[in-house]
Amino acid sequence: MKALVDTTKRAILIVPFLVLTIRATSWAVGTNYYVSTNGLLGGTGASWEQAFTNIQQALDVVGDNDAIRLAGHTFWVSRQLQWTNGANVQITGGWQGTGDPGANDPALWPTILQRPASSTNGILYVNTATGSLENVSVVGGYINGISS
């Protein structure tokens, strides 16, 4: 009987810790970076009005828990994109390209990574611990990478 009581006490002590851990993890939010083909030359990527003009600019500055929002445009990729920075990075396409962050509908605003026919490079090289690429179509190329 004493073992049952001890187990119950331990469970009560552990559960609040787990709840706090889950909440703290869900609050870990980094910076949003914005990329649009009609972005601002020399932009900071901090908003649609200051959007980077190419994806590699965002990949170069992204850090842990950051997000990259891609406007619903066709991004021509003549040099292979290098995704090597940041853990838990989320890259999503299908954004309208206005607002903060604005509307997201990949059916209405498709995001396409396309390689020119004359290029023999890959489109995206991925070498990062964790992350996600969502609502992005790859046309005329391939994705290669290493899981670390």
Side-chain angles (χ1 to χ4, degrees):
M1 187 77 160
K2 180 155 177 60
L4 180 59
V5 172
D6 288 344
T7 304
T8 304
K9 287 180 183 176
R10 274 187 246 140
I12 290 171
L13 293 174
I14 292 171
V15 169
F17 175 74
L18 292 174
V19 170
L20 289 175
T21 302
I22 291 168
R23 286 185 180 166
T25 301
S26 67
W27 289 337
V29 177
T31 303
N32 289 330
Y33 292 100
Y34 299 86
V35 184
S36 174
T37 57
N38 59 358
L40 184 64
L41 190 60
T44 63
S47 66
W48 290 118
E49 293 77 21
Q50 287 285 322
F52 291 128
T53 56
N54 69 69
I55 298 167
Q56 189 61 57
Q57 290 173 295
L59 291 171
D60 288 344
V61 299
V62 74
D64 293 352
N65 302 309
D66 288 349
I68 299 174
R69 314 248 190 239
L70 305 175
H73 298 160
T74 297
F75 293 88
W76 289 92
V77 181
S78 56
R79 291 188 183 153
Q80 187 176 49
L81 298 170
Q82 304 287 319
W83 182 5
T84 58
N85 294 339
N88 302 318
V89 173
Q90 181 186 34
I91 302 174
T92 55
W95 294 92
Q96 181 182 16
T98 61
D100 184 23
N104 181 260
D105 186 343
L108 191 56
W109 304 293
T111 299
I112 301 167
L113 305 183
Q114 187 160 357
R115 180 178 73 172
S118 61
S119 177
T120 59
N121 295 327
I123 288 184
L124 178 62
Y125 173 80
V126 180
N127 187 7
T128 187
T130 56
S132 65
L133 177 66
E134 303 171 16
N135 302 328
V136 176
S137 297
V138 177
V139 177
Y142 57 90
I143 298 175
N144 93 33
I146 300 170
S147 177
S148 50

